[in-house]
Amino acid sequence: MLKPKILVTGAGGQLGSELIPALREKVGNNNVVASDLKELDNNQGPTELLDILDNNKIETVIDKYQINEIYHLAAILSAEGEKNPVRTWNINMDGLLNIFEISRKKGIQKIFYPSSIAVFGNQTEKINTPQNPVLIPETVYGISKESGENWANYYYQKYNLDIRSLRYPGLIGYQSLPGGGTTDYAVEIFHKAIGQQKYTCFLNRDTRLPMMYMDDAIRATLELMDAPKENIKVRTSYNLSGMSFTPEEIYLEIKKYIPEFEIEYKPDFRESIARSWVESIDDSKAREDWGWKEVFNLSQMTQVMLENLR
Ligand code: NAD
Ligand code: AKB
């Protein structure tokens, strides 16, 4: 096995901003190239301006740094994606196929592809959703993630390309802001609780969604990527579970620390996206195959978020 030389696409987003330091801590600053469409405010290691639709530039960057692992994070998320479905499809799908095809040709050793609970739809079992349920997603983002999972499986079966994937729940962390998703409310609510002490929520009070604290998500990613190849039995994408809660439940948890905090509910188009997803996830395959176990529940996460944001 070569020493990892990692390229991260979409590195300036909510996940990338926290994954980059974790990867650099693990393999060394200079062995992780952070790339994005936008300029990155990052001087701990190499950075590149990289549009994932630009094949030539992807190849140039891979050659320049002798990349052998890719974390392909760049995508348009659920809510933002609905504003321009065709553009979302192009970025999410053409970008992904560019990465898979170039990786195959250049012999990249490992690829991480983040999928999402957005692959689930109204016909999916809502409670304790199994690994292989009916997948008929309602958003273009969900359609692209579900198709991406099948492409990942295809490239593994046909070319033995070692692509590993997680269906992340909504991610919540204090170091970065979310970028156009339906679960964004669960980050915004902390910022508003500390700032204005009042929050207008775009989901209904009782809309329950799977969520995960960022530290758990980063650890899951690193553990999946470190697992021996023969342990990775799911080549579409692993179900992954942390916690599940409603807007009212997280509000009441925050209110324990900030009693004057108030919330009102004004659901918009994101409510129907959230309702099409599921409430809780059965991630027993991830637990069996590579030993996944979450650490953070709602009360632990709330405490850490408030401590750090203050
Ligand atoms: P984000 O929207 O915060 O960041 C995405 C990044 O991609 C942005 O920095 C953006 O500039 C970049 N980007 C967009 N178009 C690009 C292009 N053409 N070329 C290069 N870069 C481009 O998203 P995130 O929350 O950091 O998510 C990262 C990945 O994780 C995505 O694939 C997303 O689907 C997945 N995911 C995230 C969550 C979550 O809750 N954050 C949950 C499930 C899955
Ligand atoms: C979104 O809400 O779109 C993302 C996700 C769950 O994929 N946070």
Side-chain angles (χ1 to χ4, degrees):
M1 207 53 157
L2 295 171
K3 190 172 168 47
K5 285 284 212 173
I6 298 174
L7 171 64
V8 182
T9 70
Q14 187 198 7
L15 176 60
S17 342
E18 303 212 28
L19 184 61
I20 290 284
L23 288 171
R24 286 189 168 148
E25 163 100 35
K26 189 166 166 237
V27 301
N29 287 352
N30 287 330
N31 294 320
V32 180
V33 181
S35 76
D36 203 290
L37 196 58
K38 61 188 185 197
E39 203 80 57
L40 293 173
D41 178 21
N42 183 325
N43 47 23
Q44 303 299 312
T47 60
E48 289 282 341
L49 271 179
L50 180 62
D51 182 345
I52 46 155
L53 299 179
D54 183 346
N55 263 322
N56 291 335
K57 182 79 188 274
I58 299 174
E59 294 205 29
T60 306
V61 171
I62 288 177
D63 290 344
K64 177 174 168 190
Y65 297 96
Q66 298 176 316
I67 297 297
N68 53 29
E69 272 186 37
I70 300 179
Y71 288 66
H72 177 53
L73 309 186
I76 307 295
L77 274 62
S78 58
E80 187 62 24
E82 291 305 287
K83 294 181 187 159
N84 191 337
V86 175
R87 177 175 160 269
T88 301
W89 175 260
N90 290 342
I91 292 173
N92 292 6
M93 281 322 297
D94 295 349
L96 181 68
L97 288 176
N98 285 346
I99 294 292
F100 285 173
E101 203 40 28
I102 293 171
S103 297
R104 175 180 76 79
K105 285 192 287 190
K106 292 198 173 285
I108 297 293
Q109 289 185 345
K110 267 196 260 181
I111 299 170
F112 176 71
Y113 167 59
S115 187
S116 161
I117 53 166
V119 296
F120 305 128
N122 283 318
Q123 295 183 48
T124 308
E125 296 96 312
K126 297 266 177 215
I127 314 284
N128 224 12
T129 304
Q131 176 63 46
N132 289 315
V134 174
L135 296 180
I136 308 180
E138 309 283 321
T139 59
V140 66
Y141 171 66
I143 298 171
S144 71
K145 287 291 174 188
E146 194 266 336
S147 306
E149 290 186 3
N150 282 311
W151 276 110
N153 185 52
Y154 177 88
Y155 269 82
Y156 172 69
Q157 303 297 344
K158 188 154 176 136
Y159 303 114
N160 199 25
L161 194 58
D162 188 0
I163 304 162
R164 305 178 182 201
S165 176
L166 297 172
R167 288 175 181 151
Y168 287 129
L171 304 182
I172 302 164
Y174 62 87
Q175 295 186 58
S176 54
L177 291 170
T182 302
T183 59
D184 294 12
Y185 92 84
V187 179
E188 287 171 11
I189 194 169
F190 284 103
H191 290 266
K192 296 289 181 188
I194 286 172
Q196 290 90 325
Q197 294 167 359
K198 186 166 172 47
Y199 180 57
T200 304
C201 183
F202 56 76
L203 298 186
N204 265 327
R205 66 173 66 231
D206 61 349
T207 303
R208 184 177 302 281
L209 286 173
M211 300 278 186
M212 182 171 279
Y213 183 55
M214 190 61 89
D215 285 18
D216 273 347
I218 301 287
R219 188 169 52 77
T221 310
L222 301 184
E223 287 177 5
L224 173 78
M225 293 302 277
D226 280 346
K229 193 174 175 185
E230 60 275 14
N231 288 23
I232 308 299
K233 307 272 170 39
V234 174
R235 287 296 178 167
T236 48
S237 188
Y238 277 99
N239 272 5
L240 187 72
S241 172
M243 62 186 97
S244 288
F245 55 79
T246 65
E248 185 73 4
E249 285 168 353
I250 190 172
Y251 163 66
L252 291 174
E253 194 61 40
I254 295 173
K255 210 171 156 61
K256 288 181 187 165
Y257 300 87
I258 307 176
E260 56 281 26
F261 183 38
E262 286 172 27
I263 192 164
E264 64 173 337
Y265 295 99
K266 285 198 180 157
D268 64 18
F269 72 101
R270 289 169 282 192
E271 170 64 16
S272 70
I273 298 178
R275 285 280 175 193
S276 76
W277 294 351
V278 300
E279 297 191 6
S280 60
I281 308 270
D282 173 1
D283 62 357
S284 45
K285 283 299 292 167
R287 289 170 197 263
E288 279 164 26
D289 290 358
W290 45 275
W292 164 245
K293 182 148 179 34
E294 79 286 358
V295 170
F296 286 85
N297 61 23
L298 174 58
S299 66
Q300 290 160 323
M301 176 189 73
T302 303
Q303 206 178 339
V304 178
M305 285 292 287
L306 291 173
E307 268 168 25
N308 284 284
L309 285 174
R310 273 174 170 151

